[in-house]
Amino acid sequence: MMRTRPLKVALLGCGVVGSEVARIMTTHADDLAARIGAPVELAGVAVRRPSRVREGIDPGLVTTDATALVKRGDIDVVVEVIGGIEPARSLITTAFEHGASVVSANKALLAQDGAALHAAAEANDKDLYYEAAVAGAIPLIRPLRESLAGDKVNRVLGIVNGTTNFILDKMDSTGAGYQEALDEATALGYAEADPTADVEGFDAAAKAAILAGIAFHTRVRLDDVYREGMTEVTAADFASAKEMGCTIKLLAICERAVDGGSVTARVHPAMIPLSHPLASVRGAYNAVFVESDASGQLMFYGPGAGGAPTASAVLGDLVAVCRNRLSGATGPGESAYAALPVSGMGDVVTRYHISLDVADKPGVLAQVATVFAEHGVSIDTVRQQGKDGEASLVVVTHRASDASLTGTVEALRKLDTVRGVASIMRVEGE
């Protein structure tokens, strides 16, 4: 039997995502009520600019006093889509203290203070759900947290930023340079006026921290994630990748060490074989590849951003949290029992593609090979091209640690025959 008294929802933020949440709550009200077992009512909308016309939203619900809204005491669920650290953090903790569960899409806050937010939710016996924080409409957090709860996840490898994937895909398919591809992404609305958070990997790093924490039952903060942007990727890098049967993606990679004793989380551009499923992810789409003991390899794919896709994930969480409210239960909270140490980038082992500018004369290759050998880095393939006294030397290594590769490159720079290191690119997905 359906309860007639509605569950009251407070919406913090009414921008691209928030307005879609409000629209879906209104247009799908009957379906949501049937799925939850009670009607849901939009009880208030906190915004910064109340004078703006918001189609489909009763102006009487709009307020600039978000704190008063979450303190009302009759709110069942607070949906936070304002982003940033403050005032979002204070509003969420205040919501818990005044009896509301929370649905959030705030990746930056969760990556920085997820442990404290989970603790606040648990202390007040409330839910904290955040499916929309990582990959838009793609169901990912709930499968990791619930569907794979009986499995052991070893690796999460993914494209979790649509802006960077659009830019790199454009460079790959058309031969465009970075700036040209970025300009197109901006014109089409895929990139913000200030794209720093995307192209420098900050957005993906926050998502990697959340994914690693859930996958490995270990607290992983944003500061634990190695981050490298993709602004230095060139058309020449793509040409080299194609010669290897690869393309280039900005990847979020979360791994359990082979001995199981530690984890790493990192974001950086990497060459990936065209045979890998992630290589075919085009445009602004996202995809995440999960490797685990029992289920093997799984891939989650779909639109990773945008108002409607992100609102879909928010509404999915809203339904789950409302069901919990009706049953008097709470869903899964933080699982950090493993408490594995988070290793630095120096311990990461992978393959490398190194492009060197060298003098075109006998003995150069032997000198370079000696440096690699002295640092314990095994060479897989070498390609050399020379003209008019100058040459390019491309070395692809077998798997090596980041620390050993760093030492190798420092030694190479000291050789008189090495004019410069044109690029260094990791090779993943093999």
Side-chain angles (χ1 to χ4, degrees), residues 369-399:
T370 297
V371 170
F372 276 88
E374 289 174 346
H375 289 80
V377 179
S378 176
I379 294 175
D380 182 17
T381 62
V382 178
R383 186 176 70 255
Q384 184 173 4
Q385 293 178 326
K387 184 178 181 181
D388 298 330
E390 298 295 328
S392 63
L393 188 65
V394 175
V395 178
V396 179
T397 74
H398 288 289
R399 292 174 65 82

mmCIF file of all heavy atoms in Angstrom, residues 369-399:
data_model
loop_
_atom_site.group_PDB
_atom_site.id
_atom_site.type_symbol
_atom_site.label_atom_id
_atom_site.label_comp_id
_atom_site.label_asym_id
_atom_site.label_seq_id
_atom_site.Cartn_x
_atom_site.Cartn_y
_atom_site.Cartn_z
ATOM 1 N N ALA A 369 71.183 2.662 -25.031
ATOM 2 C CA ALA A 369 70.867 1.327 -24.527
ATOM 3 C C ALA A 369 71.615 1.036 -23.234
ATOM 4 O O ALA A 369 71.076 0.399 -22.312
ATOM 5 C CB ALA A 369 71.204 0.282 -25.583
ATOM 6 N N THR A 370 72.851 1.513 -23.135
ATOM 7 C CA THR A 370 73.638 1.305 -21.923
ATOM 8 C C THR A 370 72.999 1.990 -20.723
ATOM 9 O O THR A 370 72.937 1.434 -19.619
ATOM 10 C CB THR A 370 75.067 1.837 -22.127
ATOM 11 O OG1 THR A 370 75.696 1.101 -23.169
ATOM 12 C CG2 THR A 370 75.880 1.700 -20.848
ATOM 13 N N VAL A 371 72.488 3.207 -20.933
ATOM 14 C CA VAL A 371 71.828 3.932 -19.840
ATOM 15 C C VAL A 371 70.604 3.168 -19.354
ATOM 16 O O VAL A 371 70.380 3.017 -18.141
ATOM 17 C CB VAL A 371 71.445 5.354 -20.291
ATOM 18 C CG1 VAL A 371 70.545 6.024 -19.252
ATOM 19 C CG2 VAL A 371 72.691 6.195 -20.525
ATOM 20 N N PHE A 372 69.801 2.686 -20.278
ATOM 21 C CA PHE A 372 68.629 1.911 -19.884
ATOM 22 C C PHE A 372 69.046 0.678 -19.081
ATOM 23 O O PHE A 372 68.448 0.359 -18.050
ATOM 24 C CB PHE A 372 67.828 1.494 -21.120
ATOM 25 C CG PHE A 372 66.869 2.537 -21.613
ATOM 26 C CD1 PHE A 372 67.273 3.517 -22.517
ATOM 27 C CD2 PHE A 372 65.553 2.553 -21.173
ATOM 28 C CE1 PHE A 372 66.396 4.483 -22.962
ATOM 29 C CE2 PHE A 372 64.662 3.518 -21.615
ATOM 30 C CZ PHE A 372 65.083 4.484 -22.512
ATOM 31 N N ALA A 373 70.074 -0.017 -19.546
ATOM 32 C CA ALA A 373 70.534 -1.235 -18.870
ATOM 33 C C ALA A 373 71.048 -0.927 -17.471
ATOM 34 O O ALA A 373 70.786 -1.679 -16.514
ATOM 35 C CB ALA A 373 71.606 -1.917 -19.699
ATOM 36 N N GLU A 374 71.786 0.177 -17.327
ATOM 37 C CA GLU A 374 72.344 0.543 -16.023
ATOM 38 C C GLU A 374 71.264 0.838 -14.989
ATOM 39 O O GLU A 374 71.500 0.711 -13.781
ATOM 40 C CB GLU A 374 73.259 1.759 -16.171
ATOM 41 C CG GLU A 374 74.574 1.433 -16.891
ATOM 42 C CD GLU A 374 75.394 2.673 -17.164
ATOM 43 O OE1 GLU A 374 74.848 3.806 -17.048
ATOM 44 O OE2 GLU A 374 76.586 2.522 -17.512
ATOM 45 N N HIS A 375 70.096 1.230 -15.449
ATOM 46 C CA HIS A 375 68.995 1.544 -14.527
ATOM 47 C C HIS A 375 67.967 0.417 -14.441
ATOM 48 O O HIS A 375 66.881 0.592 -13.876
ATOM 49 C CB HIS A 375 68.319 2.860 -14.936
ATOM 50 C CG HIS A 375 69.169 4.061 -14.678
ATOM 51 N ND1 HIS A 375 70.185 4.453 -15.527
ATOM 52 C CD2 HIS A 375 69.185 4.945 -13.644
ATOM 53 C CE1 HIS A 375 70.772 5.537 -15.046
ATOM 54 N NE2 HIS A 375 70.184 5.846 -13.908
ATOM 55 N N GLY A 376 68.309 -0.721 -15.016
ATOM 56 C CA GLY A 376 67.444 -1.892 -14.892
ATOM 57 C C GLY A 376 66.161 -1.818 -15.689
ATOM 58 O O GLY A 376 65.171 -2.479 -15.360
ATOM 59 N N VAL A 377 66.163 -1.017 -16.766
ATOM 60 C CA VAL A 377 64.969 -0.884 -17.606
ATOM 61 C C VAL A 377 65.220 -1.633 -18.911
ATOM 62 O O VAL A 377 66.118 -1.285 -19.679
ATOM 63 C CB VAL A 377 64.652 0.601 -17.893
ATOM 64 C CG1 VAL A 377 63.428 0.706 -18.796
ATOM 65 C CG2 VAL A 377 64.414 1.351 -16.585
ATOM 66 N N SER A 378 64.403 -2.635 -19.156
ATOM 67 C CA SER A 378 64.566 -3.469 -20.345
ATOM 68 C C SER A 378 63.864 -2.848 -21.542
ATOM 69 O O SER A 378 62.720 -2.392 -21.437
ATOM 70 C CB SER A 378 63.991 -4.869 -20.073
ATOM 71 O OG SER A 378 64.054 -5.670 -21.231
ATOM 72 N N ILE A 379 64.549 -2.836 -22.694
ATOM 73 C CA ILE A 379 63.993 -2.242 -23.915
ATOM 74 C C ILE A 379 63.256 -3.309 -24.715
ATOM 75 O O ILE A 379 63.758 -4.406 -24.932
ATOM 76 C CB ILE A 379 65.112 -1.619 -24.763
ATOM 77 C CG1 ILE A 379 65.726 -0.419 -24.027
ATOM 78 C CG2 ILE A 379 64.591 -1.190 -26.128
ATOM 79 C CD1 ILE A 379 66.921 0.190 -24.747
ATOM 80 N N ASP A 380 62.065 -2.948 -25.166
ATOM 81 C CA ASP A 380 61.274 -3.841 -26.007
ATOM 82 C C ASP A 380 61.593 -3.592 -27.478
ATOM 83 O O ASP A 380 62.003 -4.480 -28.209
ATOM 84 C CB ASP A 380 59.788 -3.629 -25.724
ATOM 85 C CG ASP A 380 58.900 -4.563 -26.533
ATOM 86 O OD1 ASP A 380 59.415 -5.573 -27.060
ATOM 87 O OD2 ASP A 380 57.688 -4.289 -26.639
ATOM 88 N N THR A 381 61.392 -2.333 -27.937
ATOM 89 C CA THR A 381 61.661 -1.998 -29.340
ATOM 90 C C THR A 381 62.345 -0.639 -29.428
ATOM 91 O O THR A 381 62.203 0.216 -28.539
ATOM 92 C CB THR A 381 60.364 -1.946 -30.177
ATOM 93 O OG1 THR A 381 59.508 -0.916 -29.654
ATOM 94 C CG2 THR A 381 59.644 -3.283 -30.157
ATOM 95 N N VAL A 382 63.077 -0.429 -30.527
ATOM 96 C CA VAL A 382 63.739 0.847 -30.795
ATOM 97 C C VAL A 382 63.507 1.206 -32.262
ATOM 98 O O VAL A 382 63.579 0.341 -33.141
ATOM 99 C CB VAL A 382 65.258 0.772 -30.531
ATOM 100 C CG1 VAL A 382 65.923 2.108 -30.882
ATOM 101 C CG2 VAL A 382 65.542 0.411 -29.087
ATOM 102 N N ARG A 383 63.232 2.481 -32.499
ATOM 103 C CA ARG A 383 63.086 2.958 -33.874
ATOM 104 C C ARG A 383 63.877 4.254 -34.017
ATOM 105 O O ARG A 383 63.725 5.169 -33.201
ATOM 106 C CB ARG A 383 61.608 3.194 -34.215
ATOM 107 C CG ARG A 383 61.381 3.560 -35.691
ATOM 108 C CD ARG A 383 59.900 3.688 -36.022
ATOM 109 N NE ARG A 383 59.286 4.852 -35.407
ATOM 110 C CZ ARG A 383 58.482 4.815 -34.370
ATOM 111 N NH1 ARG A 383 58.194 3.663 -33.788
ATOM 112 N NH2 ARG A 383 57.951 5.928 -33.870
ATOM 113 N N GLN A 384 64.739 4.333 -35.041
ATOM 114 C CA GLN A 384 65.573 5.508 -35.227
ATOM 115 C C GLN A 384 65.436 6.050 -36.642
ATOM 116 O O GLN A 384 65.424 5.290 -37.610
ATOM 117 C CB GLN A 384 67.045 5.171 -34.937
ATOM 118 C CG GLN A 384 67.974 6.379 -35.022
ATOM 119 C CD GLN A 384 69.389 6.050 -34.575
ATOM 120 O OE1 GLN A 384 69.696 4.900 -34.275
ATOM 121 N NE2 GLN A 384 70.244 7.053 -34.508
ATOM 122 N N GLN A 385 65.303 7.373 -36.722
ATOM 123 C CA GLN A 385 65.250 8.044 -38.007
ATOM 124 C C GLN A 385 66.202 9.231 -37.955
ATOM 125 O O GLN A 385 66.221 9.966 -36.968
ATOM 126 C CB GLN A 385 63.830 8.534 -38.325
ATOM 127 C CG GLN A 385 62.835 7.402 -38.559
ATOM 128 C CD GLN A 385 61.435 7.938 -38.827
ATOM 129 O OE1 GLN A 385 61.044 8.945 -38.282
ATOM 130 N NE2 GLN A 385 60.698 7.248 -39.679
ATOM 131 N N GLY A 386 67.015 9.425 -39.005
ATOM 132 C CA GLY A 386 67.985 10.504 -38.972
ATOM 133 C C GLY A 386 68.073 11.259 -40.278
ATOM 134 O O GLY A 386 67.806 10.715 -41.349
ATOM 135 N N LYS A 387 68.481 12.555 -40.157
ATOM 136 C CA LYS A 387 68.664 13.377 -41.354
ATOM 137 C C LYS A 387 69.446 14.631 -40.975
ATOM 138 O O LYS A 387 69.132 15.288 -39.967
ATOM 139 C CB LYS A 387 67.302 13.779 -41.937
ATOM 140 C CG LYS A 387 67.413 14.554 -43.255
ATOM 141 C CD LYS A 387 66.030 14.890 -43.798
ATOM 142 C CE LYS A 387 66.136 15.638 -45.102
ATOM 143 N NZ LYS A 387 64.796 16.001 -45.645
ATOM 144 N N ASP A 388 70.464 14.965 -41.795
ATOM 145 C CA ASP A 388 71.226 16.199 -41.630
ATOM 146 C C ASP A 388 71.803 16.360 -40.225
ATOM 147 O O ASP A 388 71.735 17.435 -39.620
ATOM 148 C CB ASP A 388 70.347 17.419 -41.968
ATOM 149 C CG ASP A 388 69.864 17.406 -43.411
ATOM 150 O OD1 ASP A 388 70.597 16.861 -44.254
ATOM 151 O OD2 ASP A 388 68.770 17.929 -43.668
ATOM 152 N N GLY A 389 72.354 15.298 -39.683
ATOM 153 C CA GLY A 389 73.028 15.391 -38.399
ATOM 154 C C GLY A 389 72.137 15.297 -37.182
ATOM 155 O O GLY A 389 72.615 15.269 -36.048
ATOM 156 N N GLU A 390 70.831 15.276 -37.383
ATOM 157 C CA GLU A 390 69.888 15.144 -36.268
ATOM 158 C C GLU A 390 69.045 13.893 -36.476
ATOM 159 O O GLU A 390 68.830 13.454 -37.607
ATOM 160 C CB GLU A 390 68.978 16.371 -36.157
ATOM 161 C CG GLU A 390 69.710 17.679 -35.885
ATOM 162 C CD GLU A 390 70.394 17.681 -34.526
ATOM 163 O OE1 GLU A 390 69.859 17.040 -33.602
ATOM 164 O OE2 GLU A 390 71.458 18.301 -34.397
ATOM 165 N N ALA A 391 68.562 13.323 -35.369
ATOM 166 C CA ALA A 391 67.772 12.102 -35.474
ATOM 167 C C ALA A 391 66.764 12.034 -34.337
ATOM 168 O O ALA A 391 66.906 12.710 -33.305
ATOM 169 C CB ALA A 391 68.682 10.870 -35.443
ATOM 170 N N SER A 392 65.745 11.231 -34.535
ATOM 171 C CA SER A 392 64.805 10.920 -33.465
ATOM 172 C C SER A 392 64.948 9.448 -33.136
ATOM 173 O O SER A 392 65.108 8.608 -34.024
ATOM 174 C CB SER A 392 63.367 11.231 -33.901
ATOM 175 O OG SER A 392 62.992 10.413 -34.993
ATOM 176 N N LEU A 393 64.915 9.160 -31.871
ATOM 177 C CA LEU A 393 65.056 7.789 -31.394
ATOM 178 C C LEU A 393 63.863 7.490 -30.497
ATOM 179 O O LEU A 393 63.645 8.181 -29.492
ATOM 180 C CB LEU A 393 66.360 7.642 -30.614
ATOM 181 C CG LEU A 393 66.780 6.242 -30.180
ATOM 182 C CD1 LEU A 393 67.089 5.376 -31.399
ATOM 183 C CD2 LEU A 393 67.998 6.325 -29.264
ATOM 184 N N VAL A 394 63.068 6.498 -30.881
ATOM 185 C CA VAL A 394 61.889 6.114 -30.106
ATOM 186 C C VAL A 394 62.159 4.778 -29.436
ATOM 187 O O VAL A 394 62.474 3.788 -30.098
ATOM 188 C CB VAL A 394 60.635 6.022 -30.998
ATOM 189 C CG1 VAL A 394 59.452 5.492 -30.190
ATOM 190 C CG2 VAL A 394 60.313 7.392 -31.591
ATOM 191 N N VAL A 395 62.066 4.775 -28.111
ATOM 192 C CA VAL A 395 62.315 3.569 -27.323
ATOM 193 C C VAL A 395 61.024 3.175 -26.615
ATOM 194 O O VAL A 395 60.387 4.008 -25.964
ATOM 195 C CB VAL A 395 63.417 3.803 -26.276
ATOM 196 C CG1 VAL A 395 63.624 2.540 -25.433
ATOM 197 C CG2 VAL A 395 64.709 4.225 -26.940
ATOM 198 N N VAL A 396 60.639 1.911 -26.760
ATOM 199 C CA VAL A 396 59.497 1.368 -26.016
ATOM 200 C C VAL A 396 60.044 0.326 -25.055
ATOM 201 O O VAL A 396 60.752 -0.603 -25.463
ATOM 202 C CB VAL A 396 58.449 0.737 -26.953
ATOM 203 C CG1 VAL A 396 57.290 0.166 -26.143
ATOM 204 C CG2 VAL A 396 57.949 1.769 -27.953
ATOM 205 N N THR A 397 59.759 0.482 -23.774
ATOM 206 C CA THR A 397 60.320 -0.408 -22.765
ATOM 207 C C THR A 397 59.383 -1.580 -22.471
ATOM 208 O O THR A 397 58.196 -1.556 -22.806
ATOM 209 C CB THR A 397 60.558 0.335 -21.440
ATOM 210 O OG1 THR A 397 59.299 0.573 -20.792
ATOM 211 C CG2 THR A 397 61.274 1.648 -21.680
ATOM 212 N N HIS A 398 59.941 -2.581 -21.828
ATOM 213 C CA HIS A 398 59.114 -3.556 -21.128
ATOM 214 C C HIS A 398 58.632 -2.871 -19.855
ATOM 215 O O HIS A 398 58.932 -1.703 -19.600
ATOM 216 C CB HIS A 398 59.930 -4.821 -20.815
ATOM 217 C CG HIS A 398 60.213 -5.657 -22.030
ATOM 218 N ND1 HIS A 398 59.236 -6.377 -22.679
ATOM 219 C CD2 HIS A 398 61.371 -5.880 -22.714
ATOM 220 C CE1 HIS A 398 59.765 -7.017 -23.703
ATOM 221 N NE2 HIS A 398 61.059 -6.728 -23.755
ATOM 222 N N ARG A 399 57.923 -3.587 -19.013
ATOM 223 C CA ARG A 399 57.400 -2.986 -17.784
ATOM 224 C C ARG A 399 58.529 -2.577 -16.854
ATOM 225 O O ARG A 399 59.485 -3.317 -16.629
ATOM 226 C CB ARG A 399 56.450 -3.953 -17.077
ATOM 227 C CG ARG A 399 55.160 -4.182 -17.881
ATOM 228 C CD ARG A 399 54.287 -5.238 -17.249
ATOM 229 N NE ARG A 399 53.793 -4.833 -15.938
ATOM 230 C CZ ARG A 399 52.736 -4.052 -15.735
ATOM 231 N NH1 ARG A 399 52.058 -3.559 -16.774
ATOM 232 N NH2 ARG A 399 52.338 -3.749 -14.514
#
